[in-house]
């Protein structure tokens, strides 16, 4: 099946700093989603982005499908951004999302 | 975005008992629902996929007689953990999409199961 690798596994930021999270995948995809899992376990949909670039406030994401990677940018980070960020993909011809292992982000005041 | 709810949000039960978890799509009809399991500090692992009105498809290594899934309507899927044991303690999350080829998936808030 399709492989999904996220980096870095852990990231500590000072409040106000910017960061880039990366997601590499091993095959063609027809779905790529970024999620933020909050401390209570809820997965929040950030972006549905199988290709191209999207922005939502301080967050933006870019997927380069031909090179099999996606980037999530967080600008002016806040303590509420802390949590685990997951990338999940669905390969062409597949019915299921495959999750990466996540990036644990800690934003300190 | 679409809203998916789960009930209960947490449950504690004795070993040997059965526990039912409900997953509902609140503002859309979910032709396909997914059940995931997440252990502490780990990623989500797909357990099974259910399509309304048909039998669930289980991932390799998931016991279908232990984890009973019913998707009887377009807004409700249930997962029953039968004869639960401490090793079944985990965070169970359901997900739904609004068409067989729909792209975006929406997730419920999860159910934390503790088996004593």
């Amino acid at each position: 099946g399709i492989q999904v690798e996220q980096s870095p596994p852990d990231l500590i930021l000072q409040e106000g700093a910017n960061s880039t999270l990366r997601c590499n995948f091993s095959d063609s995809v027809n779905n790529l989603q970024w999620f933020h899992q909050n401390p209570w376990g809820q997965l929040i949909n950030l972006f549905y982005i199988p290709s191209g670039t999207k922005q939502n406030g301080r967050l933006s994401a870019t997927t380069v499908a031909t090179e099999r990677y996606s980037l999530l940018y967080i600008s002016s980070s806040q303590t509420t951004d802390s949590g685990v960020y997951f990338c999940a993909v669905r390969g062409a011809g597949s019915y299921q999302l495959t999750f990466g292992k996540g990036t644990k982000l800690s934003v300190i005041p | 975005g679409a809203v998916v709810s789960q009930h209960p949000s947490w449950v504690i039960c004795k070993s040997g008992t059965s526990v039912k978890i409900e997953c509902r799509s609140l503002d859309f009809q979910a032709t396909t629902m997914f059940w995931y399991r997440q252990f502490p500090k780990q990623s989500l692992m797909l357990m099974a996929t259910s399509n309304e009105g048909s039998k669930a498809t289980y991932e390799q290594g998931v016991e279908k007689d232990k984890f009973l899934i019913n998707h009887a309507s377009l807004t409700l899927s249930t997962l029953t953990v039968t004869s639960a044991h401490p090793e079944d303690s985990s965070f169970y999350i359901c997900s739904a999409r609004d068409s067989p080829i729909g792209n975006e998936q929406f997730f419920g808030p999860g159910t934390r199961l503790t088996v004593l």
Side-chain angles (χ1 to χ4, degrees), chain A residues 34-38 41-47 85-86, chain B residues 107-108:
Chain A
W34 282 98
F35 300 92
H36 174 212
Q37 188 169 38
N38 66 22
Q42 170 79 62
L43 280 170
I44 310 297
N45 286 41
L46 298 178
F47 293 103
Y85 289 80
F86 287 105
Chain B
F107 285 77

Side-chain angles (χ1 to χ4, degrees), chain A residues 93-105:
Chain A
S94 175
Y95 59 88
Q96 61 169 286
L97 278 181
T98 298
F99 280 76
K101 293 186 177 181
T103 292
K104 183 179 178 182
L105 175 63

Side-chain angles (χ1 to χ4, degrees), chain A residues 71-108:
Chain A
L71 302 174
L72 177 68
Y73 305 97
I74 304 174
S75 63
S76 304
S77 58
Q78 301 175 358
T79 55
T80 51
D81 294 332
S82 296
V84 182
Y85 289 80
F86 287 105
C87 167
V89 305
R90 186 165 76 236
S94 175
Y95 59 88
Q96 61 169 286
L97 278 181
T98 298
F99 280 76
K101 293 186 177 181
T103 292
K104 183 179 178 182
L105 175 63
S106 301
V107 181
I108 55 177

Side-chain angles (χ1 to χ4, degrees), chain A residues 30-31 33 35 37 40-43 45 48 86 90 95-97 99-101, chain B residues 34 36 38 43-44 46 49 57 59 91 97 102-109:
Chain A
N30 56 26
N31 180 1
Q33 293 183 242
F35 300 92
Q37 188 169 38
W40 297 273
Q42 170 79 62
L43 280 170
N45 286 41
Y48 163 69
F86 287 105
R90 186 165 76 236
Y95 59 88
Q96 61 169 286
L97 278 181
F99 280 76
K101 293 186 177 181
Chain B
F34 304 86
Y36 294 81
Q38 186 181 30
S43 188
L44 281 74
L46 181 66
T49 302
T57 302
E59 295 302 302
F91 192 55
R97 62 181 190 221
N103 288 327
E104 193 169 2
Q105 272 182 233
F106 302 91
F107 285 77

Side-chain angles (χ1 to χ4, degrees), chain B residues 55-56 58-59 61-69 80 82:
Chain B
K55 289 185 178 180
Y58 290 82
E59 295 302 302
V62 178
E63 300 175 59
K64 61 182 179 181
D65 294 331
K66 181 165 188 63
F67 298 100
L68 301 179
I69 292 171
T80 301
T82 62

Side-chain angles (χ1 to χ4, degrees), chain A residues 13-71:
Chain A
L13 293 177
Q14 200 79 36
E15 197 169 23
N18 302 328
S19 63
T20 301
L21 282 57
R22 187 177 180 101
C23 172
N24 292 334
F25 44 95
S26 61
D27 208 343
S28 302
V29 299
N30 56 26
N31 180 1
L32 188 147
Q33 293 183 242
W34 282 98
F35 300 92
H36 174 212
Q37 188 169 38
N38 66 22
W40 297 273
Q42 170 79 62
L43 280 170
I44 310 297
N45 286 41
L46 298 178
F47 293 103
Y48 163 69
I49 188 165
S51 64
T53 298
K54 290 186 178 180
Q55 181 160 4
N56 184 3
R58 295 181 296 104
L59 303 182
S60 64
T62 295
T63 298
V64 184
T66 52
E67 298 187 21
R68 299 181 182 168
Y69 73 89
S70 183
L71 302 174

